[in-house]
Amino acid sequence: MIERFPINQSYTRGSSHGHSQQDVRIRAIRSVPLFGQSPRGGWAAEVNPQDSIHTLIAVHTTAGITGYGSVFADGRLVEAGLAVLEPLYRAENALQPERVSEKLHQNTFWMGRGGSLTHVISGIDLALWDILGKFAGLPISILLGGSYRERVRPYCSLLMEEPDRMAEAITLYRARGFRAFKIGWGPFGRSGDGKLDEAIVNAARNACGDNAQLMVDAGASDAFWPHGLKWALRTADMLAGYDVYWFEEPLSPDSLEDYVVLRKSSSVQIAGGEVLTRRQSFLPWLTKGALDIVQPDVTKVGGLSEQRRIAWQAQEFGVKYVGHGWNTAVGLAADLQMAAAMPHTNLVEYLEHSPYLNSITKDEFQLDEDGHFAIPLEPGLGLSLDRTKLEEFTSDPAPLFEDD
């Protein structure tokens, strides 16, 4: 069911500072890596707390309006990427995110499409949308075409553990108000013990209850994933017995034809796409019918300009869009705006154990009594970074706040 805004919904007006559109130019773009409490990923080469895997950026303008973005990449790569891109974005109109982002993509294709530069452009694009919303005094969802809902359910994204510990983790977060859960990576599919895989899923289902949504993420984009189509088929059959809502990344991200076979055979929805970047990469997955649910990551794929195109392409093929959200508060804020702007997006990912979500903003994301997040109505992304809190997770947050 689509939840619509009341017809008399009013929005908090932003301030354009009396500037014309031509006055809002990119003055500088700064980056700040996050590290110190980077969350475990369950990867073969595990993340250490001091590793920089997410980087915040700020686009500062001549009008004094600052927009924020997030990049799924090491801070050193982001700094280098900004240096490469600087001649292309210098003095550009900060109110034209799609045109500026496409300019950056088109003029750097020869450096490799879809790599670190695409990730960096993702953060720039997010920040430009944030600026546009602040200039217009509107939430990004309205600028994306309109809002279908005022709230959306977050699913609590957890690493898989041995059965007893898995049950304990879900029980803890269910008590905090979550009503949807995704369990992934960890020993699942990696131990070589199918009985253990099923025991973990069984423990999770018993802990979250029959009325909760449960998703399973094999994490087959991990290094040297050991399984193929036959394992995925058997596992999908097992998951169907536990009413699993979707089976995510059950195969290597290069196994397109196997995904097609699996989707046709599985009664459980098949989800994937988090490692793909730019809209062009998703076309064969949609045209061949490889996925039920497509999951681009807004901090990798090219930002909101690409994310929304992919989401609408998916809509035309009968594929649901639910963004991959293993990133930061800025990424989650963008996912919330996208969830408002898409007619059938009913979930957003929430990485409960990462301090880079609720510990870097002035206001925390709060669950309501039904286990939903309200979608912010403030201009732009609708969040404010907290300089003092950020000092715990980076050596110097000052570059994000030059215009304060």
Side-chain angles (χ1 to χ4, degrees), residues 154-307:
Y155 65 84
C156 185
S157 191
L158 299 168
L159 289 179
M160 287 206 197
E161 308 279 1
E162 297 293 323
D164 288 347
R165 293 179 62 187
M166 189 79 264
E168 290 173 2
I170 288 186
T171 299
L172 172 65
Y173 291 113
R174 183 169 176 81
R176 293 182 181 178
F178 287 96
R179 295 296 178 263
F181 302 87
K182 185 176 80 178
I183 58 173
W185 297 66
F188 191 85
R190 294 162 176 80
S191 69
D193 185 351
K195 291 182 179 178
L196 175 61
D197 292 347
E198 183 167 2
I200 294 170
V201 176
N202 180 55
R205 172 52 75 192
N206 288 336
C208 70
D210 293 339
N211 294 327
Q213 288 174 297
L214 178 65
M215 288 72 77
V216 170
D217 181 0
S221 58
D222 198 9
F224 305 110
W225 178 248
H227 301 296
L229 176 59
K230 289 183 172 57
W231 177 88
L233 288 166
R234 291 194 304 271
T235 305
D237 287 343
M238 179 270 287
L239 297 178
Y242 294 93
D243 194 24
V244 167
Y245 186 61
W246 76 57
F247 187 17
E248 182 173 334
E249 282 204 312
L251 293 161
S252 162
D254 299 311
S255 302
L256 174 57
E257 298 301 329
D258 284 350
Y259 265 96
V260 174
V261 174
L262 178 62
R263 188 208 179 192
K264 289 179 179 178
S265 303
S266 173
S267 61
V268 177
Q269 296 184 103
I270 302 302
E274 68 185 69
V275 301
L276 302 177
T277 54
R278 297 218 64 196
R279 61 191 183 275
Q280 297 88 345
S281 299
F282 288 82
L283 282 173
W285 293 79
L286 297 174
T287 57
K288 289 179 178 292
L291 298 170
D292 296 290
I293 296 168
V294 67
Q295 300 173 299
D297 187 312
V298 76
T299 68
K300 299 179 184 179
V301 78
L304 282 165
S305 295
E306 295 291 296
Q307 192 96 329

Side-chain angles (χ1 to χ4, degrees), residues 30-202:
R30 309 298 186 203
S31 64
V32 168
L34 298 176
F35 54 85
Q37 294 190 36
S38 295
R40 289 188 304 130
W43 305 341
E46 186 54 277
V47 177
N48 294 312
Q50 290 300 319
D51 290 342
S52 166
I53 56 173
H54 299 294
T55 302
L56 299 180
I57 71 164
V59 174
H60 301 293
T61 67
T62 54
I65 306 171
T66 297
Y68 294 106
S70 182
V71 182
F72 203 133
D74 187 304
R76 294 167 295 184
L77 290 173
V78 177
E79 184 176 2
L82 289 175
V84 170
L85 295 167
E86 196 273 341
L88 296 168
Y89 66 65
R90 183 193 307 136
E92 264 289 2
N93 191 319
L95 302 180
Q96 299 180 18
E98 286 199 347
R99 185 188 63 78
V100 173
S101 295
E102 190 64 22
K103 175 186 176 182
L104 300 181
H105 290 305
Q106 293 282 340
N107 285 283
T108 55
F109 73 94
W110 47 276
M111 293 187 186
R113 297 173 68 174
S116 297
L117 279 180
T118 300
H119 288 212
V120 175
I121 294 169
S122 302
I124 295 172
D125 183 82
L126 285 173
L128 293 178
W129 278 101
D130 192 26
I131 290 166
L132 178 58
K134 290 173 178 176
F135 182 88
L138 294 170
I140 287 173
S141 61
I142 300 301
L143 301 176
L144 292 175
S147 291
Y148 290 89
R149 57 188 54 81
E150 295 176 290
R151 61 179 193 159
V152 66
R153 173 171 287 175
Y155 65 84
C156 185
S157 191
L158 299 168
L159 289 179
M160 287 206 197
E161 308 279 1
E162 297 293 323
D164 288 347
R165 293 179 62 187
M166 189 79 264
E168 290 173 2
I170 288 186
T171 299
L172 172 65
Y173 291 113
R174 183 169 176 81
R176 293 182 181 178
F178 287 96
R179 295 296 178 263
F181 302 87
K182 185 176 80 178
I183 58 173
W185 297 66
F188 191 85
R190 294 162 176 80
S191 69
D193 185 351
K195 291 182 179 178
L196 175 61
D197 292 347
E198 183 167 2
I200 294 170
V201 176
N202 180 55

Side-chain angles (χ1 to χ4, degrees), residues 153-158 178 182 217 246 248 274 295 297 322-328 331-332 335-336 347-352 357 373:
R153 173 171 287 175
Y155 65 84
C156 185
S157 191
L158 299 168
F178 287 96
K182 185 176 80 178
D217 181 0
W246 76 57
E248 182 173 334
E274 68 185 69
Q295 300 173 299
D297 187 312
V322 178
H324 175 260
W326 204 89
N327 43 65
T328 69
L332 174 58
D335 286 341
L336 289 171
L347 292 163
V348 293
E349 184 167 15
Y350 184 75
L351 194 61
E352 170 61 28
L357 275 89
F373 283 158

